[in-house]
Amino acid sequence: MSFVAVKNEIIVGHILFTSVRLEPEPSHAVSASILAPLAVLPEHQKHGIGSQLIQIGLEKLQGAGTQLAFVLGYPSYYSRHGFTTAGIQGFEATYPIAPENSAAWIVQELQPNVLGSVKGKVICADTLNNPKYWIE
């Protein structure tokens, strides 16, 4: 799912959610996505555009039955939108994350009773399955 924010006929923000899968595959099907990227033009940042894109995207994913949403990002920002640390909940990132950045690997439960019932390594689509996207 991809969404844009438009102001005065100019795209000022964009968010993309891509399907991921878990390995090993859980005994019951789990629908999950990863948020990457989220971008807002610098001159339009700090006006809530990114927050609105996240909210709309998560609502649409939830409505479509997606159960989990992951992101590798600033915990202080994404925690305001309901994301919590994924590693301590049993979710391994596609590529190893340095210990000092482990809090940046985060997840949000979009359907009840999913967290705690599944775990595993998140496998991204080939487009995002590149180590350069996972190293800071």
Side-chain angles (χ1 to χ4, degrees):
M1 289 188 185
S2 179
F3 301 95
V4 296
V6 178
K7 186 173 183 178
N8 298 325
E9 299 182 16
I10 297 171
I11 295 176
V12 297
H14 174 256
I15 194 167
L16 177 68
F17 293 91
T18 305
S19 294
V20 297
R21 62 184 171 82
L22 296 176
E23 281 188 354
E25 212 168 295
S27 58
H28 58 284
V30 174
S31 175
S33 291
I34 190 165
L35 184 170
L38 168 64
V40 177
L41 291 175
E43 61 270 24
H44 293 279
Q45 292 176 0
K46 308 246 188 259
H47 295 104
I49 293 170
S51 293
Q52 289 176 342
L53 286 168
I54 292 169
Q55 180 181 343
I56 289 167
L58 293 175
E59 287 173 2
K60 294 291 185 183
L61 286 174
Q62 187 177 38
T66 302
Q67 296 165 294
L68 297 170
F70 294 91
V71 67
L72 179 62
Y74 294 103
S76 60
Y77 179 74
Y78 288 100
S79 66
R80 293 185 282 168
H81 302 285
F83 285 88
T84 59
T85 306
I88 61 173
Q89 297 189 64
F91 297 106
E92 183 183 343
T94 301
Y95 288 95
I97 297 171
E100 64 270 18
N101 296 326
S102 63
W105 177 234
I106 47 186
V107 63
Q108 183 172 149
E109 180 180 61
L110 301 177
Q111 306 292 333
N113 305 315
V114 180
L115 291 178
S117 70
V118 295
K119 61 183 176 180
K121 183 175 183 176
V122 174
I123 306 298
C124 293
D126 290 344
T127 305
L128 296 175
N129 198 9
N130 186 321
K132 72 179 182 183
Y133 301 132
W134 295 86
I135 298 170
E136 191 166 323

